[in-house]
Amino acid sequence: MRLCRFLTESFEYLKANKNLSTTDAKTLQTKTFYGKEKKSLAYIIGIMNMILHGVEAPNIIHTNTLSENLADIQEKDRYDVVLANPPFGGQERAEVQQNFPIKGGETAYLFLQHFIKILRAGGKAGIVIKNTFLSNTDNASNSCENIYWKAATCTPVLDLPGGVFTGAGVKTVVLFLIKALPQKRFGITN
C-alpha cells in the first residue's frame, strides 16, 4: 500500500528544487498539500507515509469527501491542482448522493463532480479512474461525461496498462483536465 503517493511524490519533486527560499520551504510544508481519507487505516498509513517522506504536519483529514455538499463549496475552498485516485467501484448511500446534481451510486461519478467543483478556474487535475468511465452508457455516465467535457479546456486521456493499480481488478485511465476559465459574452460572465 502506498497511500498518499501522489502527495509524497509531488512533495519530493518540489523539495528537490534547489532554489527554494525559507518561505517557499515553509509553504511547501504547511500550505501546499491537502487530502481527505474515509477509511481509518488508510488515513493513518497515509499520514505516516507523508511524515516518513518529510512532510512534518500533513494536512490530511479523516472524512468522507463525498459527504460535502457541492453547493457549499466556495472559492476559498478551491485548489489549483487536484491529483486523485478515487476508489474503484464504490457505492454511496442515497443521502450522500443528494449532495450532487447528478445522482448515482457509483462513486466515480460523484468524485468527478467533486473534483471539478473544487478546482479553481484554470486549475489542473489528474484523476485515475477505471477505463469503463468513458464507455458506459447509463444516464449518470452520460451526464458526468458531459460535465467533464464542458468543464475542461484540455482533455487528454492516458490509457494505463493492466495491473498498474494492483488489486483494483480493473483497467484504468488517467483523465487530465484544465478547468475552463469563465467566458465573457456581451459583458456577461458565464
Side-chain angles (χ1 to χ4, degrees):
M1 250 190 281
R2 294 182 176 179
L3 298 167
C4 292
R5 185 65 182 251
F6 279 140
L7 299 179
T8 58
E9 290 298 320
S10 299
F11 176 76
E12 293 288 340
Y13 175 80
L14 293 171
K15 186 175 74 172
N17 181 345
K18 304 294 186 226
N19 300 323
L20 288 179
S21 68
T22 304
T23 303
D24 292 338
K26 183 176 180 180
T27 298
L28 186 62
Q29 277 286 340
T30 61
K31 297 180 183 176
T32 304
F33 301 103
Y34 299 87
K36 297 177 183 177
E37 178 54 56
K38 179 179 178 180
K39 296 181 179 177
S40 297
L41 182 59
Y43 166 73
I44 292 166
I45 293 171
I47 286 191
M48 181 180 68
N49 194 16
M50 291 190 73
I51 291 169
L52 290 173
H53 279 84
V55 178
E56 296 167 5
N59 294 310
I60 309 297
I61 57 174
H62 187 215
T63 187
N64 181 355
T65 301
L66 301 178
S67 65
E68 183 177 12
N69 191 323
L70 290 190
D72 295 338
I73 296 173
Q74 301 173 20
E75 189 59 33
K76 68 176 179 59
D77 304 318
R78 295 197 170 125
Y79 298 93
D80 296 316
V81 177
V82 171
L83 300 173
N85 180 10
F88 302 122
Q91 297 289 317
E92 276 296 345
R93 301 177 318 273
E95 58 269 18
V96 171
Q97 294 178 41
Q98 296 308 309
N99 295 327
F100 298 88
I102 299 168
K103 315 291 186 260
E106 168 67 52
T107 57
Y109 307 119
L110 304 177
F111 274 109
L112 184 63
Q113 293 174 77
H114 178 79
F115 297 145
I116 290 171
K117 183 71 174 187
I118 64 169
L119 269 179
R120 285 193 176 101
K124 299 175 184 179
I127 303 165
V128 177
I129 201 158
K130 61 184 180 178
N131 72 339
T132 55
F133 173 80
L134 298 173
S135 60
N136 285 347
T137 57
D138 58 70
N139 288 338
S141 300
N142 291 334
S143 297
C144 277
E145 217 173 306
N146 284 336
I147 287 176
Y148 172 72
W149 295 118
K150 287 178 183 176
T153 57
C154 176
T155 57
V157 176
L158 176 62
D159 188 20
L160 299 172
V164 169
F165 288 91
T166 307
V170 296
K171 196 162 174 355
T172 54
V173 297
V174 181
L175 302 177
F176 294 98
L177 69 93
I178 300 172
K179 189 170 181 179
L181 296 170
Q183 297 179 1
K184 290 186 179 183
R185 296 183 190 153
F186 308 108
I188 300 171
T189 302
N190 294 339

